[in-house]
Amino acid sequence: MENSTNKLPRHIAIVMDGNGRWAKQRHRPRTFGHRAGQKAVRAIIEACLRRGIEALTLFAFSSENWKRPQDEVGALMELFLKALDREVNELHGYGVRIRFVGELAAFAPALRERMYAAMEKTAGNAKLALNIAVNYGGRWDIAQAARQAAQAAVRGEIDATQIDEARLAGYFSLADLPPLDLFIRTGGEKRVSNFLLWQLAYAELVFSETLWPDFDAAHLDAAIADFAGRERRYGKTSAQVGGGT
Ligand code: IPE
Ligand code: IPE
Ligand code: MG
């Protein structure tokens, strides 16, 4: 039998979608769903810690989510603020290194300061790299990587002709982490919605019908089992990567 621990994804990314529909099913406001979604976040972080996952990247707020009604955006910001106050110390105790990825300058100073404080406090932790994507867009990430490379060229540190895939890769938000292995989207939609575009090149994709507030450790295990059963060929043939003929 195959040893499934060999096939444990090192880096999982999740589009946590379906909070609004979960609330609607219960005839409650969308914010009720977002609050329920936070409990699922906590459960999945703990499940990843127990399973020895090295990196978990969660899509919490996209660069397009600002276009939602103002009261929903405001409620989400309030929830983020409270979650930071509530959860950071405990996650720090578990050895979680928290990082916020995205254009943080757009957030209110009170929220931004808490994000930076959480990152600083947990910077030395090594158990689980937890990345929270906020005001994140995959296209933004590509643009900021290109900008950094251009700036390095202007400073004379690199020659523009040296900017190839490997060099550009180093400027992306999660460049120091293991490559993305498993992408999960809950809530039934089969799209990327401007999440990690560059990093998705060879990730395995799993789409779950489960709405995010209902997504638990058993659903995560099902996604990991699905991943473990995949043959990753990276362009080669099955025989070349040790599979059948
Ligand atoms: C995901 O759930 C949470 C955020 C985007 C902040 P949604 O709020 O998109 O839930 P649905 O897709 O409307 O059900
Ligand atoms: C993606 O979900 C963003 C997050 C989960 C944070 P959306 O609900 O915003 O995506 P679309 O609008 O269905 O593409
Ligand atoms: Mg949605």
Side-chain angles (χ1 to χ4, degrees), residues 207-228:
F207 295 95
S208 166
E209 292 297 321
T210 304
L211 301 174
W212 175 250
D214 290 329
F215 196 82
D216 60 17
H219 293 102
L220 179 71
D221 285 339
I224 291 173
D226 191 338
F227 171 84

Side-chain angles (χ1 to χ4, degrees), residues 4-242:
S4 65
T5 57
N6 288 339
K7 293 277 193 77
L8 199 64
R10 297 179 67 193
H11 186 169
I12 300 176
I14 309 181
V15 179
M16 310 183 290
D17 195 27
N19 294 349
R21 281 163 282 164
W22 187 91
K24 194 171 182 200
Q25 285 173 355
R26 286 158 183 78
H27 311 285
R28 302 292 298 268
R30 294 178 57 84
T31 325
F32 183 70
H34 295 315
R35 214 169 304 124
Q38 290 196 330
K39 294 203 185 85
V41 170
R42 185 53 196 259
I44 293 306
I45 293 170
E46 286 176 12
C48 285
L49 276 164
R50 281 195 299 274
R51 284 156 186 72
I53 303 296
E54 291 171 61
L56 173 66
T57 302
L58 300 174
F59 205 7
F61 193 83
S62 77
S63 43
E64 290 75 32
N65 287 147
W66 296 108
K67 296 176 195 159
R68 292 190 177 196
Q70 213 183 321
D71 60 343
E72 181 171 346
V73 173
L76 278 166
M77 295 301 141
E78 191 65 30
L79 281 173
F80 292 154
L81 206 64
K82 285 193 184 139
L84 277 164
D85 286 343
R86 198 178 56 235
E87 310 280 355
V88 170
N89 283 335
E90 206 166 342
L91 292 175
H92 180 50
Y94 292 158
V96 175
R97 187 179 75 193
I98 303 171
R99 193 186 304 173
F100 291 91
V101 293
E103 198 163 17
L104 305 188
F107 293 103
L111 190 49
R112 216 166 52 219
E113 278 157 26
R114 280 175 176 80
M115 289 180 188
Y116 283 115
M119 288 195 270
E120 251 170 63
K121 180 173 199 154
T122 63
N125 293 340
K127 193 100 195 291
L128 169 71
L130 173 66
N131 311 299
I132 319 262
V134 284
N135 192 22
Y136 178 89
R139 288 173 175 171
W140 166 83
D141 207 359
I142 293 171
Q144 70 80 25
R147 188 161 55 242
Q148 285 194 62
Q151 285 165 338
V154 168
R155 287 194 301 266
E157 292 161 15
I158 55 170
D159 193 283
T161 59
Q162 294 174 328
I163 301 173
D164 56 10
E165 287 181 27
R167 194 171 285 269
L168 196 60
Y171 294 113
F172 277 83
S173 290
L174 311 172
D176 57 320
L177 297 172
L180 182 60
D181 288 318
L182 172 59
F183 166 96
I184 301 171
R185 182 173 184 139
T186 67
E189 309 290 1
K190 289 168 187 71
R191 56 177 171 254
V192 173
S193 298
N194 198 20
F195 198 22
L196 306 154
L197 297 178
W198 172 279
Q199 298 87 341
L200 276 167
Y202 268 106
E204 295 297 328
L205 312 182
V206 170
F207 295 95
S208 166
E209 292 297 321
T210 304
L211 301 174
W212 175 250
D214 290 329
F215 196 82
D216 60 17
H219 293 102
L220 179 71
D221 285 339
I224 291 173
D226 191 338
F227 171 84
R230 308 270 181 99
E231 181 181 68
R232 303 180 83 187
R233 291 191 287 276
Y234 298 98
K236 296 180 181 175
T237 67
S238 186
Q240 282 178 298
V241 296

